């Protein structure tokens, strides 16, 4: 089988996104390479979701460019994303995963489906209609669908924003396992505790601008900017 | 007394009455199938594509939901008449002509409602399907499948419209006894002749058929929703 081209690094080159006259993000220059999970931190409206959508190719920058991989024109083939509110297809959990496998050009055999569901702890619920799963279970099913793409990069857009602590821990455990398996995780959150638990590096955004980028330890112990110090201290950054 | 006569016709399994019922169901169900085959992909296509004049197409589709059956019958009559472009087919005053007329009548209904349902669903699914690299054809199939419960309701709307109309089938079928006479045309004819028993009997059967079909479809929809989410 031919080797798929790598999607890494993902490079933002003076990339900006605006909705009409309103600047949403950037322009920013940033490279995301392989390694520990990168967590996008920032208050609401800081541009975290827009950055993820640009990186995934779901949005096109209004100026500048976003490049995936070393080969020009590399598509999102090796990227996957889990949205804050994932859409469940009207079919069982197992058939949701089988669908994602087929769309990724992979064999949707029962053993592969079961392995993916088992990886997110949903094997016992394989036959349950996806829309009847709880919020946490739906988020884990969305993770299984994303993993069905055998991604090199996994984008997560506040995947635990509306979950209780138990469901949050379940999702975080899966994400940590995925990252440990060599998948580059890029996650948006405004949950400082979650960032501390998962991040290898922090990309801190405020009002669409990249304010600070640092290793997680350095960011939380020695933030370099006043806004980052405020944010880490739990003060409101507006 | 007419009501008692109608009940007697139904309970005795009157051959003439049930031949009319059978033909009505055949014509309407065939029209519904053809309309679904044309209208659903057409509606999905309009929902998912952007092209110059799209808004005009949507306005026309929506407007055609209220087409007068007699006008549809007139157009189909002109197409199928000896001097019309489809005259050589020899379909005028046959059940096939009635199927064509009813298909023309309800295809816009099914296409317009499918367009609305699929467009709404696409707004919900767009990011997820795009992220999964789902192609255009697979996307249409996915949206139609996931909208299947709503589409059943749309089909029922089309079935009800076709089953209840009289003008189009009267014009292109000719209301020929034993050949193209269906429930609605028979009701109109028998009422004008004063044979209210047969007219009432057919009216009862017509309403019962529509109710039973709706009840069955509703049950299937409920069962499917419980099992597929």
């Amino acid at each position: 089988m031919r080797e798929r081209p790598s999607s890494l690094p993902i490079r933002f080159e003076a990339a900006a996104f605006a909705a009409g006259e309103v600047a949403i993000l950037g322009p920013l220059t940033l490279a995301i390479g392989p390694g520990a999970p990168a967590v996008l931190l920032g208050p609401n409206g800081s541009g975290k979701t827009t950055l993820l959508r640009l990186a995934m190719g779901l949005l096109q920058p209004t100026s500048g460019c976003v490049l995936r991989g070393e080969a020009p024109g590399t598509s999102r083939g090796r990227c996957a994303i889990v949205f804050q509110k994932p859409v469940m297809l009207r079919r069982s959990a197992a058939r949701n995963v089988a669908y994602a496998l087929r769309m990724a050009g992979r064999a949707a055999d029962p053993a592969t489906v079961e392995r993916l569901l088992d990886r997110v702890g949903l094997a016992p619920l394989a036959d349950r209609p996806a829309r009847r799963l709880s919020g946490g279970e739906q988020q884990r099913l969305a993770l299984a669908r994303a993993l069905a793409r055998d991604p090199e990069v996994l984008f997560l857009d506040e995947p635990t924003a509306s979950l209780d602590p138990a469901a949050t821990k379940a999702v975080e455990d899966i994400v940590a396992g995925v990252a440990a398996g060599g998948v580059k995780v890029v996650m948006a959150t405004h949950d400082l505790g979650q960032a501390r638990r998962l991040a290898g590096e922090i990309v801190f955004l405020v009002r669409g601008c990249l304010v600070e980028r640092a290793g997680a330890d350095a960011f939380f112990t020695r933030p370099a900017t006043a806004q980052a110090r405020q944010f880490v201290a739990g003060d409101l950054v507006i | 007394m007419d009501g008692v006569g109608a009940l007697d016709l139904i309970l005795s399994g009157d051959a003439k009455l049930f031949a009319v019922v059978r033909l009505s169901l055949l014509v309407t169900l065939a029209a519904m199938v053809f309309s679904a085959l044309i209208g659903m992909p057409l509606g999905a296509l309009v929902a998912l594509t952007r092209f110059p004049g799209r808004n005009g197409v949507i306005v026309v589709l929506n407007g055609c939901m209220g087409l007068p059956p007699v006008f549809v019958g007139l157009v189909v009559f002109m197409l199928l008449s000896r001097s019309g472009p489809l005259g050589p087919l020899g379909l005028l005053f046959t059940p096939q002509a009635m199927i064509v007329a009813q298909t023309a009548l309800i295809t816009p209904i099914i296409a317009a409602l499918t367009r609305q349902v699929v467009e709404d669903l696409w707004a919900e699914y767009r990011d997820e399907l795009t992220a999964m690299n789902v192609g255009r054809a697979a996307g249409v199939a996915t949206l139609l499948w996931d909208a299947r419960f709503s589409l059943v309701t749309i089909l029922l709307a089309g079935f009800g419209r076709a089953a209840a109309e009289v003008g189009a089938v009267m014009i292109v079928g000719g209301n020929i006894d034993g050949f193209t006479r269906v429930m609605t045309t028979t009701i109109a004819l028998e009422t004008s002749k004063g044979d209210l028993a047969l007219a009432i009997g057919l009216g009862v059967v017509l309403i019962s058929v529509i109710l039973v079909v709706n009840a069955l479809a509703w049950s299937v929809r409920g069962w499917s929703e419980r099992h597929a989410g």
Side-chain angles (χ1 to χ4, degrees), chain A residues 93-95 97 112-127 140-141 144:
Chain A
R95 291 183 65 199
V97 174
T112 307
V113 171
E114 189 177 351
R115 183 171 52 76
L116 283 163
L117 285 172
D118 191 47
R119 194 169 174 187
V120 298
L122 289 179
L125 303 177
D127 294 326
R140 282 188 279 149
L141 181 57

Side-chain angles (χ1 to χ4, degrees), chain A residues 7-94:
Chain A
S7 297
L8 290 172
I10 296 171
R11 287 173 291 153
F12 287 70
E13 297 188 351
F17 185 80
E21 298 295 311
V22 182
I24 307 293
L25 182 72
L28 62 83
T29 296
L30 172 75
I32 299 170
V39 169
L40 312 180
L41 260 184
N44 288 337
S46 59
K48 303 185 297 291
T49 296
T50 303
L51 193 153
L52 286 181
R53 286 170 178 262
L54 285 167
M56 182 67 189
L58 296 174
L59 290 177
Q60 298 305 314
T62 46
S63 66
C65 62
V66 179
L67 303 171
R68 278 173 287 279
E70 299 296 350
T74 300
S75 71
R76 67 178 76 92
R78 301 205 61 187
C79 300
I81 188 167
V82 174
F83 296 100
Q84 185 175 344
K85 291 179 182 168
V87 173
M88 295 291 108
L89 303 179
R90 285 186 186 275
R91 53 203 82 191
S92 69

Side-chain angles (χ1 to χ4, degrees), chain A residues 4 21 35-36 45 48 53 57 103 107 119 122 141 144 148 150 160 175 194 203 217 220 237:
Chain A
R4 289 185 299 171
E21 298 295 311
K48 303 185 297 291
R53 286 170 178 262
M103 292 304 128
R119 194 169 174 187
L122 289 179
L141 181 57
D150 189 20
T160 61
V175 172
Q194 187 168 62
V203 176
D217 287 343
F220 288 115
V237 176

Side-chain angles (χ1 to χ4, degrees), chain B residues 61-144:
Chain B
L61 270 184
N62 288 346
C64 286
M65 288 200 293
L67 278 177
V70 285
F71 176 74
V72 172
L74 176 64
V75 171
V76 174
F77 179 90
M78 289 192 297
L79 288 173
L80 298 180
S81 65
R82 285 280 176 215
S83 57
L86 302 178
L89 296 176
L91 293 179
L92 197 59
F93 303 133
T94 66
Q96 288 90 329
M98 295 154 71
I99 292 170
V100 171
Q102 288 199 344
T103 301
L105 185 69
I106 64 175
T107 294
I109 296 173
I110 290 177
L113 296 178
T114 299
R115 200 270 315 162
Q116 188 65 59
V117 165
V118 170
E119 197 165 312
D120 290 346
L121 200 60
W122 175 236
E124 183 186 351
Y125 279 35
R126 178 171 42 218
D127 284 343
E128 205 76 65
L129 297 189
T130 306
M132 283 196 262
N133 276 351
V134 177
R136 176 65 57 90
V140 169
T142 302
L143 291 170
L144 288 177

